[in-house]
Amino acid sequence: MDNYEATRSAIEAVWRIESPRLIAGLARITGDVGAAEELAQDALVIALEQWPVQGVPDGPGAWLMATAKHRAVDLVRRRARYDRKLQEVGRDMEAQAQTLGEPDVDKMDDHIGDDLLRLIFIACHPILSTGARAALTLRLIGGLTTSEIARAFLVPEPTIAQRIVRAKRALAEAKIPFEIPARGELTGRLRSVLEVIYLVFNEGYSATSGADWTRPELCAEALRLGRVLAGLMPRQIEVHGLVALMELQASRIGARTGPGGEPVLLSDQDRRRWDRLLIRHGLAALDRAEQLGGAPGPYVLQAEIAACHARAASVNDTDWERIAALYVVLAHLTPSPVVELNRAVAVGMAYGPGKGLAIADTLTGEPALAGYVQLPAVRGDLLARLGRPDEARAEFTRAAALTSNERERALFRARAAECRPAGSQDTDP
Amino acid sequence: MRYLMLLSGTNPATPPPPALYEAIMKLGGEATEAGVLLDTAGLLPSAAGARVGLADGKVTVTDGPFTESKELISYALYDVRSREEAIEWASRFVKLHRDLWPGWAGQTDILQVMGPGGGG
């Protein structure tokens, strides 16, 4: 039935818009994220039954909220009665039952922003694995279904379903309070939130496995999450840094893939295909971060680096010296072989491939980079530019063997094939 | 997926009520906070614009207004997951006009923007 299907789609759209705030508000009443999600789902089921018959109400969000609130209050009262009947009256529980017995439902709407933020913090709680945090965040704040999350991460649906169930159970068992972290632990907890959002973004931006090079819808999801967080925590410099970083990286998505779906590296991208709107958003977010003052964190620094690319008309116009310098600061804040490898690339561009290779060569024995695709890829590029084609070819061949992304493998094979003995090669500017 | 929304319509003789502006700002704020509104602005009447055309190899420039169609009033660029979600946001916008500016009639056209997120 067409009309029925249309209503169903409309309900799903309303659900996506409203469910995060709905679940957040309910979690504050019940103190339990799992129960909140179930109550919200119940309201959705009622809507799916009623709306196709009675029509979609004028304020569908408010309708869902009111329906779910009633059920939440019922649930809390039922629980309180149950608790009393069981006479498990430790003083704490009694006190809790009383406060929960008469929730101040009308105040719920005033706290939506805070509730949503609490929900984000609890979904990204460090007691959960990063995979569980990502799945729970996409489910509760992104409004994605389990099957959508499974498709996004290319894992079977039951795996994701189980991950979410376990995560909710773990939160309940650990009695994680539905609160915004106190000042002292805010930085650490926020780091966990930012990490989850960036993980989702990267899963879309550089699909680590499978036939696709990027899954743009996952990037879009992470971007929306980041923007939501920036609205909720406007004074946090690193939140704006992450948003800036994602907007700037996402601006290149259209140019990162060739007509056949093959990856196109930054140096070869047609910059006219970069998304000017996202660049503008990214630079604006970076401005906001800078205006807040204070020391830039890793996301702001990475966004600064991305901004150097965004502002440059071509690879040669890029301020590689600034990028190399930013990597020094980044390496100071978050020392890692990967950052060092990126610095090698920037130094190779700013001061010549020999200087870059000298840095990259210090990383070849690094255990953390054993099996890391970009190490041979970067060394291959630097060696090729130094006119050492045999060594370059060996590096590209190794990179091709290491990657699990089919598109990327084809790219490295092509680069290996380009490495001809010195003298037979066209000069490369 | 990106959608361009174009609002066109016929304004009644009454001036637009301040409450409408207020409600539009509020809805825009909600959409921004939800991370879905990328850009939006109002448009001046087409009398302030012009049309550059091409027919039979000839480029022509015509001053506004373009009387054959309803006036375009505003545009918005949304980044949402589905066409239905775009429809929901547009419906909320149109309902504000219904509730706050009696006599107003018009429409929002929703067009999907080409891009890597689909529709390319």
Side-chain angles (χ1 to χ4, degrees):
Chain A
M1 212 166 93
D2 271 358
N3 197 21
Y4 179 82
E5 274 308 307
T7 311
R8 219 191 136 86
S9 305
I11 295 169
E12 280 165 10
V14 171
W15 172 256
R16 294 213 140 135
I17 295 171
E18 301 296 336
S19 70
R21 296 189 289 174
L22 194 58
I23 294 168
L26 293 165
R28 189 161 55 78
I29 295 184
T30 61
D32 178 345
V33 171
E37 203 205 358
E38 275 166 35
L39 286 163
Q41 291 277 355
D42 288 349
L44 175 66
V45 169
I46 297 172
L48 284 166
E49 285 163 7
Q50 291 191 3
W51 295 1
V53 185
Q54 300 170 1
V56 178
D58 241 11
W63 189 98
L64 282 170
M65 190 70 104
T67 306
K69 267 185 200 172
H70 281 126
R71 298 178 75 90
V73 173
D74 282 350
L75 177 81
V76 169
R77 289 206 177 115
R78 217 160 46 231
R79 269 192 197 165
R81 270 202 304 275
Y82 181 71
D83 288 347
R84 277 196 293 273
K85 274 182 190 155
L86 278 182
Q87 295 187 330
E88 286 180 341
V89 279
R91 200 161 289 162
D92 291 349
M93 282 198 81
E94 178 70 4
Q96 194 192 18
Q98 271 170 5
T99 43
L100 289 175
E102 294 300 331
D104 196 348
V105 176
D106 294 330
K107 270 196 174 166
M108 202 161 117
D109 294 331
D110 303 338
H111 295 281
I112 286 304
D114 285 351
D115 286 343
L116 196 54
L117 193 54
R118 289 189 184 101
L119 189 65
I120 292 172
F121 273 111
I122 205 164
C124 296
H125 199 282
I127 64 158
L128 306 173
S129 71
T130 32
R133 278 184 255 163
L136 202 56
T137 302
L138 287 172
R139 174 71 180 253
L140 296 179
I141 298 109
L144 267 68
T145 63
T146 307
S147 80
E148 284 169 330
I149 299 168
R151 253 181 289 140
F153 284 100
L154 306 177
V155 294
E157 195 177 331
T159 310
I160 291 292
Q162 208 172 36
R163 208 176 276 174
I164 290 172
V165 168
R166 280 197 196 135
K168 285 192 285 201
R169 198 189 303 145
L171 291 172
E173 279 169 5
K175 295 195 169 49
I176 303 297
F178 190 65
E179 284 172 2
I180 294 167
R183 196 169 284 271
E185 54 168 344
L186 187 67
T187 309
R189 293 284 303 277
L190 183 59
R191 195 181 305 129
S192 172
V193 174
L194 299 176
E195 183 187 306
V196 168
I197 296 176
Y198 197 43
L199 176 120
V200 172
F201 181 85
N202 270 321
E203 188 60 29
Y205 192 66
S206 48
T208 47
S209 59
D212 294 330
W213 169 244
T214 56
R215 291 195 290 280
E217 274 310 294
L218 206 50
C219 294
E221 204 61 59
L223 262 172
R224 283 187 288 261
L225 288 170
R227 293 182 196 133
V228 168
L229 189 63
L232 293 170
M233 305 192 86
R235 312 267 335 139
Q236 292 290 333
I237 174 168
E238 279 288 88
V239 176
H240 295 297
L242 174 62
V243 171
L245 175 61
M246 293 192 297
E247 304 263 17
L248 291 170
Q249 290 189 317
S251 75
R252 301 185 214 132
I253 286 178
R256 286 176 92 229
T257 312
E262 72 281 5
V264 181
L265 298 180
L266 181 66
S267 50
D268 301 325
Q269 286 170 15
D270 180 350
R271 296 182 179 218
R272 291 168 304 181
R273 296 182 63 197
W274 287 1
D275 188 323
R276 308 316 300 183
L277 180 69
L278 290 186
I279 289 177
R280 211 168 70 217
H281 275 243
L283 295 177
L286 193 54
D287 272 352
R288 277 194 292 279
E290 279 162 1
Q291 271 162 26
L292 283 172
Y299 290 110
V300 171
L301 287 169
Q302 291 176 83
E304 296 263 19
I305 292 166
C308 289
H309 295 303
R311 291 189 185 109
S314 71
V315 177
N316 291 330
D317 284 343
T318 309
D319 191 347
W320 288 105
E321 292 175 25
R322 179 170 161 77
I323 294 177
L326 285 165
Y327 272 120
V328 172
V329 185
L330 186 61
H332 182 69
L333 279 187
T334 54
S336 101
V338 173
V339 171
E340 200 58 10
L341 185 62
N342 285 328
R343 189 169 77 84
V345 174
V347 167
M349 293 302 291
Y351 307 104
K355 293 261 182 8
L357 188 64
I359 299 169
D361 281 347
T362 64
L363 300 168
T364 50
E366 184 61 56
L369 291 186
Y372 186 65
V373 181
Q374 290 308 319
L375 178 59
V378 166
R379 293 191 73 237
D381 186 62
L382 292 166
L383 286 163
R385 284 167 54 204
L386 282 168
R388 290 157 63 177
D390 293 336
E391 292 159 274
R393 187 167 48 245
E395 292 298 317
F396 284 128
T397 307
R398 187 178 312 164
L402 282 174
T403 181
S404 54
N405 185 294
E406 291 151 37
R407 298 290 191 184
E408 205 177 41
R409 181 170 306 126
L411 176 91
F412 291 137
R413 285 201 179 129
R415 291 221 58 188
E418 282 167 20
C419 297
R420 284 178 234 108
S424 72
Q425 204 174 0
D426 291 345
T427 45
D428 197 47
Chain B
M1 288 177 272
R2 254 182 220 181
Y3 289 90
L4 177 67
M5 307 210 187
L6 293 169
L7 180 76
S8 57
T10 316
N11 293 347
T14 54
L20 179 66
Y21 281 126
E22 196 56 39
I24 287 173
M25 297 300 279
K26 186 166 176 281
L27 184 64
E30 283 169 20
T32 303
E33 279 163 24
V36 295
L37 180 58
L38 297 181
D39 194 13
T40 184
L43 301 170
L44 287 174
S46 63
R51 177 175 286 166
V52 179
L54 173 67
D56 303 323
K58 217 178 150 220
V59 174
T60 54
V61 179
T62 317
D63 289 337
F66 320 127
T67 45
E68 71 273 25
S69 58
K70 280 182 181 157
E71 285 285 348
L72 283 167
I73 297 166
S74 68
Y75 74 88
L77 195 60
Y78 274 78
D79 173 44
V80 289
R81 274 182 226 104
S82 66
R83 195 177 66 106
E84 285 70 24
E85 226 180 291
I87 292 172
E88 176 61 26
W89 286 108
S91 304
R92 292 181 183 191
F93 192 68
V94 166
K95 281 175 189 165
L96 294 182
H97 288 74
R98 177 198 62 190
D99 296 344
L100 297 168
W101 200 2
W104 188 89
Q107 70 217 13
T108 294
D109 290 333
I110 299 173
L111 302 161
Q112 190 177 354
V113 179
M114 275 194 228

